[in-house]
Amino acid sequence: MKRTLLMLGVGFAAFASAYAATKLWNAPAAPPRAMVWIAGGEFTMGTDSDLGWPDERPAHRVRVDGFWIDEHEVTNDEFAAFVAATRYVTTAETAPKAEDILAQSSPGTPPPPPEALVPGSLVFQPTEEAVDLRDFARWWRWTPGANWRHPEGPGSTIQGKGGHPVVQVSWDDASAYARWAGKRLPTEAEWEFAARGGLDGRPYVWGDAPFSLDRPQANIWQGAFPYRNTVADGYERTAPVKSFPPNGYGLFDMGGNVWEWCADWYQRDLYRGRAGRGLTLNPTGPEQSSDPARPFTPQRVQRGGSFLCNDSYCSRYRPSARHGCSPDTGMSHVGFRCVKTPTS
């Protein structure tokens, strides 16, 4: 009996010691500025609902460890501080190379003319009337001189918009900022877990209710995309961070405003490979991207939707929505936020 009690005591002491050590490791220290602690846990990643696109299916169970995450997207002021400290030059401020363009094109594609190889980026331009929504080239324009300082082209400015999310940043730019800040880009599993704010399996970051024109929950497109925006939410393009209510974890703009870069390579059918395998632990994405629609273009994941999301077009301001984009591409509706992993 004494031996049994002794063994139970030793076992309990070992358990208590391990629990205390684990609790200590998981407990955040002094919070980094403007970051929120996400304790981690298990959740349903993706969706099986009718709202979901093929790359969001099937829903499956995932667990992530705790991490810090920026409470809002990186702003123009924050990115400007990084550029001032490092003299960093973004992708959009650098002339593209013909060989890089051809490497992402189908065989036989003619090289771009030399006059086209100038610094610039993609800018959204609303159309004058209804157009075929399958042809996104109708509303995206390659614009010389467009960059993070001039998000809609040379005539635009970010003056007075220091609190807006920085846009026209590539994945490479976002990664460089994250390293400078002592952070990193989130995995898409971390991003989705944080975006859900504890509302597991719900269609929106705020719950089940659809988007409200009377009390907008996010910065998206109201009206007929891509030619008529009623601006019922008050913003035609980006909104200052914290303009809309936070989710259950106190995070802002996890739906709408700007798409956000994640660390992972994009694989269109990634979730099919996880189906039936039980719980997935801390996934970091595939080793390389794969998308039959763009077989020659490596892509990184983007999450969260943007001010261009519209229910008649894509509805991708939902937490399960995902798509891929070339990591050397900046656009006028793409930004990012960072995460930070606690050290032992």
Side-chain angles (χ1 to χ4, degrees):
M1 183 65 178
K2 288 183 178 181
R3 177 180 175 83
T4 301
L5 291 174
L6 178 62
M7 293 303 293
L8 286 173
V10 170
F12 178 78
F15 168 79
S17 176
Y19 176 80
T22 302
K23 186 177 178 67
L24 179 63
W25 189 91
N26 284 326
R33 187 184 69 84
M35 299 190 83
V36 173
W37 171 249
I38 306 298
E42 186 177 325
F43 74 109
T44 300
M45 189 170 182
T47 184
D48 292 321
S49 78
D50 293 339
L51 292 173
W53 287 46
D55 62 354
E56 301 174 48
R57 302 185 182 118
H60 53 288
R61 297 297 286 178
V62 169
R63 175 179 288 277
V64 295
D65 292 335
F67 56 96
W68 296 98
I69 185 168
D70 291 342
E71 64 178 359
H72 56 71
E73 302 109 330
V74 173
T75 65
N76 285 316
D77 279 349
E78 290 170 331
F79 197 79
F82 157 63
V83 171
T86 63
R87 298 184 180 180
Y88 182 83
V89 178
T90 63
T91 303
E93 296 170 288
T94 306
K97 298 179 181 178
E99 55 267 32
D100 293 336
I101 295 174
L102 293 175
Q104 298 184 25
S105 306
S106 57
T109 299
E115 62 268 20
L117 299 176
V118 296
S121 195
L122 289 167
V123 174
F124 170 78
Q125 295 290 344
T127 61
E128 295 182 357
E129 58 188 4
V131 296
D132 184 349
L133 294 180
R134 294 170 297 181
D135 185 8
F136 59 84
R138 299 293 295 272
W139 55 86
W140 284 109
R141 298 285 186 273
W142 170 259
T143 306
N147 55 54
W148 73 275
R149 293 185 177 92
H150 308 287
E152 278 83 55
S156 63
T157 180
I158 58 172
Q159 186 173 358
K161 296 183 177 180
H164 285 237
V166 65
V167 295
Q168 296 293 14
V169 285
S170 68
W171 185 91
D172 299 319
D173 301 333
S175 297
Y177 174 95
R179 288 192 297 271
W180 172 78
K183 305 176 184 180
R184 60 179 173 82
L185 295 181
T187 66
E188 64 170 325
E190 290 172 333
W191 191 97
E192 183 172 334
F193 182 77
R196 292 187 174 279
L199 300 178
D200 194 21
R202 304 294 179 86
Y204 306 106
V205 299
W206 56 82
D208 296 310
F211 182 83
S212 171
L213 291 175
D214 297 325
R215 302 183 66 181
Q217 302 99 325
N219 179 19
I220 63 172
W221 181 288
Q222 299 88 51
F225 184 85
Y227 65 98
R228 187 178 69 249
N229 187 350
T230 65
V231 196
D233 61 14
Y235 301 97
E236 185 175 5
R237 292 187 183 250
T238 60
V241 298
K242 297 187 177 183
S243 293
F244 297 87
N247 72 357
Y249 290 154
L251 304 175
F252 296 87
D253 295 325
M254 299 304 283
N257 214 12
V258 296
W259 283 98
E260 300 180 16
W261 287 111
C262 290
D264 310 35
W265 288 110
Y266 174 75
Q267 187 177 96
R268 187 175 182 181
D269 61 353
L270 177 65
Y271 294 178
R272 295 182 195 174
R274 294 178 184 170
R277 294 189 177 183
L279 185 66
T280 301
L281 303 176
N282 294 312
T284 56
E287 294 183 0
Q288 60 185 12
S289 68
S290 174
D291 182 1
R294 302 179 68 188
F296 304 102
T297 305
Q299 298 176 80
R300 295 282 186 174
V301 171
Q302 292 177 351
R303 287 293 198 126
S306 78
F307 60 82
L308 297 180
C309 282
N310 177 263
D311 287 334
S312 67
Y313 174 52
C314 70
S315 298
R316 283 188 164 179
Y317 55 92
R318 298 168 292 102
S320 61
R322 57 194 296 266
H323 74 179
C325 188
S326 171
D328 61 358
T329 299
M331 304 177 79
S332 54
H333 70 333
V334 175
F336 68 102
R337 76 180 71 211
C338 302
V339 300
K340 187 177 180 69
T341 307
T343 55
S344 58

